[in-house]
Amino acid sequence: MSEQDTHLIWVLADDRAGNINQAIGVAEALAQPFKRVDIEYTKLARLPNILRGASLLGVDDGTRARLTTPWPDLVIAAGRRTAPVARWIKKQSRGHTRICQIMRPDSGEKDFDLIAVPAHDQMPARENVLEIPGAPHRITETRLLIEADNWRSHFKGLPGPRFAVIVGGSSKKTTFTADMADDLISHAIDAAKAVDGSLLVTTSRRTGRENEQLIADRLAKSGVSYHLHDWTSDAENPYFGYLALADVLIVTGDSVSMCCEAAAAPGGVYIYAPEGLAAIRHQRLHQALYDGQYARPLLDSTELVPFKHPSLQPARAVAQRCLELLSAPVS
């Protein structure tokens, strides 16, 4: 790429890992250099965006010091709280900067050159709104091949087929109960036993210590070969190795990111979402993934078998629109 074809691109990275991964996923899909700009907030960031407007209200002094000229050609941001910052940058650049916002900005929609929203968010149609089938992420085919090479030797003694169990947990609105944890791991153990396979199991910070212990105890008594990663462990996180090498992925339906990342992997994806675990918005995502043949629901009668599905890559659709914005003249 010649110097004149290179654009100055900023990614606004706030304090939420899910937001950062979505924004960086789009930036990486552009296949151009980009600068990560960390955004740190004050208590005023809790104000509604209609009050924050196109301003730096709600960001700290360190963030303000990082936001200086030269202004970028493109800003990529994700999440409600970054939206006023992106609008402020565009205002300072006198309209030169194009801004791509992932998820609803919750105010000032007309100021954004592109708003990328998953279909399950059901945002009203606008000329600058791009509806995508799920949340952008950083799980590409190339990364999965690299991770497969990195992790293959770690799982060498585990017989195939391998069933990965990716466990989320409770959220603000839903609770991952002990009964759910027991039911989930029972499904996985039974599936592995039926075909003399093995299990790859990882928990998260939202799983809860009692549920984590329940899962560990069930695995220890199962007689099935397994690899268990506790999220508090100092050992290297095998999550990407699980995605790359599992024949079947079982993921709890409480996390949009986990479901979408699993749907990018080659293994057959089953979403565990019993009543009470997934919010209505998440249920809409699950149905969209089922309709697109990216995943299947895990029900009591479901036989867990490998199956082929398309790789879910929403970041590429957003990146393509960003490239179109960059190639168009500034109005």
Side-chain angles (χ1 to χ4, degrees):
M1 181 179 296
S2 67
E3 185 174 332
Q4 66 181 12
D5 292 331
T6 303
H7 298 96
L8 183 57
I9 299 170
W10 286 4
V11 171
L12 304 188
D14 68 5
D15 56 353
R16 298 188 179 182
N19 292 347
I20 296 171
N21 284 336
Q22 292 191 50
I24 290 181
V26 171
E28 290 175 340
L30 288 168
Q32 296 189 26
F34 63 89
K35 176 184 177 182
R36 170 175 166 157
V37 181
D38 290 321
I39 308 296
E40 297 178 25
Y41 299 109
T42 67
K43 292 181 180 180
L44 292 178
R46 299 173 186 170
L47 291 171
N49 280 0
I50 195 169
L51 296 179
R52 292 177 66 201
S55 77
L56 297 185
L57 182 65
V59 303
D60 69 3
D61 290 340
T63 298
R64 292 168 184 262
R66 288 188 284 273
L67 298 172
T68 60
T69 56
W71 301 117
D73 302 300
L74 174 68
V75 164
I76 302 170
R80 181 192 71 81
R81 293 186 301 170
T82 59
V85 182
R87 292 173 63 197
W88 179 86
I89 294 169
K90 183 173 184 176
K91 184 177 180 181
Q92 302 309 302
S93 74
R94 299 178 183 270
H96 169 77
T97 300
R98 319 296 175 88
I99 50 179
C100 167
Q101 189 72 23
I102 303 165
M103 296 183 284
R104 293 171 178 262
D106 285 350
S107 184
E109 286 79 5
K110 64 180 177 58
D111 290 347
F112 295 89
D113 299 278
L114 178 62
I115 303 172
V117 290
H120 64 271
D121 278 348
Q122 297 184 334
M123 186 171 178
R126 299 176 63 101
E127 186 176 346
N128 59 344
V129 171
L130 173 65
E131 190 174 85
I132 51 180
H137 54 72
R138 303 176 67 188
I139 310 300
T140 64
E141 294 89 344
T142 299
R143 181 171 189 177
L144 289 169
L145 288 173
I146 293 170
E147 297 291 351
D149 281 343
N150 290 341
W151 286 97
R152 190 170 284 110
S153 62
H154 290 74
F155 308 144
K156 188 176 181 180
L158 298 176
R162 298 186 181 112
F163 296 79
V165 187
I166 302 169
V167 188
S170 300
S171 66
K172 292 180 180 179
K173 297 181 180 180
T174 63
T175 302
F176 184 57
T177 66
D179 286 343
M180 291 176 186
D182 186 68
D183 185 41
L184 171 65
I185 201 62
S186 295
H187 276 293
I189 289 170
D190 291 346
K193 277 185 174 180
V195 291
D196 297 323
S198 59
L199 296 171
L200 308 171
V201 184
T202 182
T203 58
S204 77
R205 63 178 177 80
R206 295 183 293 104
T207 303
R209 293 309 303 175
E210 291 184 3
N211 291 335
E212 290 169 359
Q213 191 60 55
L214 182 156
I215 290 170
D217 291 345
R218 288 296 312 277
L219 288 170
K221 297 173 183 177
S222 68
V224 173
S225 299
Y226 68 91
H227 181 280
L228 172 63
H229 179 76
D230 185 321
W231 74 276
T232 63
S233 171
D234 291 332
E236 186 178 359
N237 192 330
Y239 175 68
F240 298 112
Y242 286 6
L243 293 182
L245 294 169
D247 300 286
V248 170
L249 295 116
I250 306 165
V251 57
T252 55
D254 52 277
S255 167
V256 169
S257 295
M258 291 194 321
C259 289
C260 292
E261 289 172 353
V269 180
Y270 293 87
I271 297 176
Y272 178 74
E275 184 176 354
L277 179 60
I280 296 297
R281 173 173 170 267
H282 292 69
Q283 293 174 29
R284 294 198 297 262
L285 168 69
H286 302 163
Q287 191 59 54
L289 295 179
Y290 304 151
D291 292 344
Q293 300 183 347
Y294 297 106
R296 297 175 183 176
L298 174 53
L299 307 172
D300 288 340
S301 59
T302 302
E303 182 183 3
L304 298 176
V305 296
F307 65 89
K308 294 185 180 298
H309 61 87
S311 178
L312 182 69
Q313 297 291 340
R316 292 176 186 167
V318 183
Q320 179 59 42
R321 287 289 293 271
C322 287
L323 289 173
E324 292 170 5
L325 289 174
L326 288 171
S327 65
V330 178
S331 57

